[in-house]
Amino acid sequence: MTPPFPTPPDLAGHPYFQYRNNVLYAEDVPLDHLAERLGTPLYVYSRAALKAAWQSYCSAIGPRPVLVCYGMKANSNLAVLGEFARLGAGFDIVSGGELHRALTAGADASRIVFSGVGKQAWEMRDALRAGVKCFNVESVDELHRLSDVAAHMGLRAPVSLRVNPDVDARTHPYISTGLKENKFGIAIGDALEAYRTAQSLPGLRIVGVDCHIGSQLTDISPYFDALEKLLDLIESLQQAGIAIEHLDLGGGLGIRYLDETPPSPRALLDRVFERMNARGQGHLQLVLEPGRSLVGNAGVLLTTVQYIKHAEARNFAIVDAAMNDLLRPALYDAFHGVQPLHPRAGDPAEYDLVGPVCESADWLAKQRLLTIRQGDVLAVESAGAYGVTMASNYNSRGRPAEVMVDGDKYYVVRQRETLADQLRGESLLP
Ligand code: LLP
């Protein structure tokens, strides 16, 4: 049997969630207060943590020409988007729905890049109408469709090609996207030809080169493997008379879930600029699309222990959050720390934290040493990224509420989904 995971002792990587007098707080708000008032499961975010994560990019950038486009698929709550818009972020979107959300939250369209392999004509039209900065195009077919759509509107769509540099991001296979086996991007060897095609189409204007090699990267070297290949491509483009304004390196910087030591934005940026300058491309604007590293450790998911079950092979803590609320453990075998809101004295036992959904994959944590009882509330850590955005109504469970803590105040930024909400739009047969 594998040994139980150690529990991180003091949430050291998560400074905005700390114990005071044996109660877990988000900033200056005791989390048990929120659980009592708003119920569980409940996503709780820290506004200060969002700002600090944003600031870590800003201070690494300094005066250099970098546009940070928040990869909003990580967390697209309006309040989160609004906060980043206020801070000056651009946005990386992948659908017409995300465009609508970003604009509703006050995003500046000229700082939006539109990624994704399957853009539909209506999504292209909406984005052109809004005036986005760039379409990150992922296939030659898409180039043709985008040119048609734009030309029809009397416009030229700004484009980058998302190039697949065939590098191994050394992360979970489901979130690795830069290998030639992946569906993403245009193979680097075919890129020059695709740029020539783009140049020949009437509805397009070439503005950049783009890649995104994967997510939760904890090793910095894959970025540089990709960067060198992109810089080679940019040189070939320049020789072919195709000028580029920006280089988009995508998102992907990892966060600490357990004991990872992901590179900081500064470690990444200093070396990226060093390489760009060394290759004579320091004049290019750099675009980044971080998602997880801006929001992941700015959120926790609160859940209440419903039942304790001592089965033959395992102890189960059956909680009121499930895979429909936080899919990452079921889908990627992902680790999320678990902390009680009120740590208890006494000998811990080893528990699997499981939800009420009728699937064996419905677990949130395995083999954790905890001292808990029925009714205790637990915080599932690092739930700010790819939590709510991947939530579903499976088993007809309403999606959880979301609340933003700001100092000693808090704001419910999304109501808990009601039973009526769940039935909206459905009907019986006549
Ligand atoms: N740009 C593009 C084109 C992307 O596909 C992604 C994420 C990002 C930016 C943001 O990447 P980040 O900085 O967050 O790593 N659901 C998975 C992660 C999927 C990531 C998909 N693409 C998870 O929960 O780990």
Side-chain angles (χ1 to χ4, degrees):
M1 204 175 92
T2 45
F5 283 111
T7 2
D10 61 355
L11 295 88
H14 315 156
Y16 300 94
F17 298 89
Q18 290 288 334
Y19 286 103
R20 290 186 201 167
N21 301 323
N22 211 39
V23 177
L24 188 58
Y25 276 65
E27 301 188 32
D28 299 325
V29 175
L31 287 171
D32 54 354
H33 178 76
L34 295 179
E36 231 164 77
R37 296 285 288 270
L38 305 169
T40 59
L42 179 71
Y43 276 97
V44 183
Y45 309 126
S46 152
R47 189 177 194 175
L50 296 180
K51 286 187 193 159
W54 175 255
Q55 195 49 44
S56 72
Y57 276 90
C58 289
S59 59
I61 290 166
R64 298 180 285 208
V66 181
L67 175 62
V68 178
C69 293
Y70 167 52
M72 64 177 277
K73 64 173 79 63
N75 187 322
S76 56
N77 184 285
L78 278 185
V80 172
L81 302 180
E83 186 63 22
F84 284 129
R86 243 191 310 270
L87 290 167
F91 294 87
D92 167 50
I93 63 168
V94 290
S95 71
E98 286 195 347
L99 175 67
H100 180 64
R101 270 181 183 274
L103 295 176
T104 306
D108 171 356
S110 71
R111 297 162 88 83
I112 291 178
V113 295
F114 192 172
S115 304
V117 286
K119 300 178 200 76
Q120 297 182 43
W122 72 267
E123 296 176 309
M124 293 172 168
R125 273 192 296 274
D126 281 4
L128 283 164
R129 225 174 270 128
V132 299
K133 175 182 172 67
C134 184
F135 290 82
N136 292 335
V137 172
E138 302 216 18
S139 64
V140 173
D141 265 12
E142 187 190 334
L143 281 177
H144 286 281
R145 178 181 285 175
L146 181 58
S147 174
D148 289 349
V149 169
H152 210 78
M153 297 169 74
L155 297 171
R156 282 181 157 236
V159 295
S160 283
L161 289 191
R162 174 167 175 184
V163 172
N164 184 336
D166 192 24
V167 300
D168 185 354
R170 294 193 271 282
T171 182
H172 189 284
Y174 285 12
I175 53 177
S176 184
T177 49
L179 282 168
K180 60 174 183 284
E181 292 80 12
N182 298 128
K183 70 177 175 182
F184 297 100
I186 293 175
I188 187 112
D190 301 335
L192 188 55
E193 197 47 46
Y195 269 99
R196 287 211 170 92
T197 303
Q199 203 182 23
S200 73
L201 292 172
L204 304 182
R205 179 169 61 85
I206 294 168
V207 294
V209 169
D210 168 52
C211 78
H212 169 79
I213 55 175
S215 196
Q216 183 56 14
L217 272 65
T218 51
D219 176 4
I220 206 166
S221 58
Y223 278 109
F224 300 104
D225 299 344
L227 178 64
E228 293 304 328
K229 292 190 180 186
L230 258 58
L231 290 169
D232 292 343
L233 172 65
I234 289 171
E235 272 170 18
S236 313
L237 289 172
Q238 286 162 343
Q239 280 156 16
I242 300 174
I244 294 294
E245 295 162 20
H246 74 250
L247 163 57
D248 184 340
L249 267 187
L253 270 191
I255 61 167
R256 175 176 177 267
Y257 285 96
L258 175 62
D259 54 5
E260 302 89 337
T261 49
S264 64
R266 182 178 298 276
L268 176 68
L269 280 165
D270 283 353
R271 241 181 94 193
V272 167
F273 275 100
E274 183 205 305
R275 290 309 305 151
M276 285 173 68
N277 288 330
R279 303 273 310 254
Q281 303 294 349
H283 60 283
L284 293 178
Q285 182 191 40
L286 180 71
V287 176
L288 296 175
E289 303 169 356
R292 188 190 320 262
S293 51
L294 286 173
V295 292
N297 276 332
V300 297
L301 172 62
L302 302 187
T303 184
T304 306
V305 177
Q306 300 294 305
Y307 302 105
I308 300 264
K309 183 157 131 176
H310 301 285
E312 204 175 295
R314 294 278 169 98
N315 299 317
F316 293 104
I318 301 168
V319 297
D320 62 2
M323 65 189 288
N324 76 295
D325 304 302
L326 180 66
L327 184 61
R328 303 193 70 258
L331 191 57
Y332 315 114
D333 222 356
F335 178 93
H336 286 260
V338 174
Q339 303 291 343
L341 297 199
H342 287 283
R344 289 180 181 282
D347 285 341
E350 195 184 299
Y351 289 96
D352 284 4
L353 222 70
V354 300
V357 162
C358 304
E359 298 266 356
S360 292
D362 182 27
W363 59 275
L364 297 176
K366 282 187 177 164
Q367 293 178 289
R368 304 301 171 83
L369 284 174
L370 294 164
T371 307
I372 47 173
R373 287 194 207 142
Q374 188 177 41
D376 282 2
V377 184
L378 308 173
V380 180
E381 295 176 84
S382 312
Y386 305 107
V388 168
T389 49
M390 294 176 78
S392 77
N393 290 122
Y394 189 38
N395 280 207
S396 289
R397 290 168 48 84
R399 281 170 295 178
E402 296 172 88
V403 58
M404 180 76 71
V405 168
D406 183 10
D408 59 2
K409 298 193 186 54
Y410 64 88
Y411 306 93
V412 176
V413 293
R414 180 187 179 130
Q415 303 285 340
R416 185 174 302 285
E417 212 171 13
T418 64
L419 297 176
D421 291 337
Q422 281 197 61
L423 295 188
R424 199 168 70 86
E426 289 187 47
S427 54
L428 290 166
L429 290 173

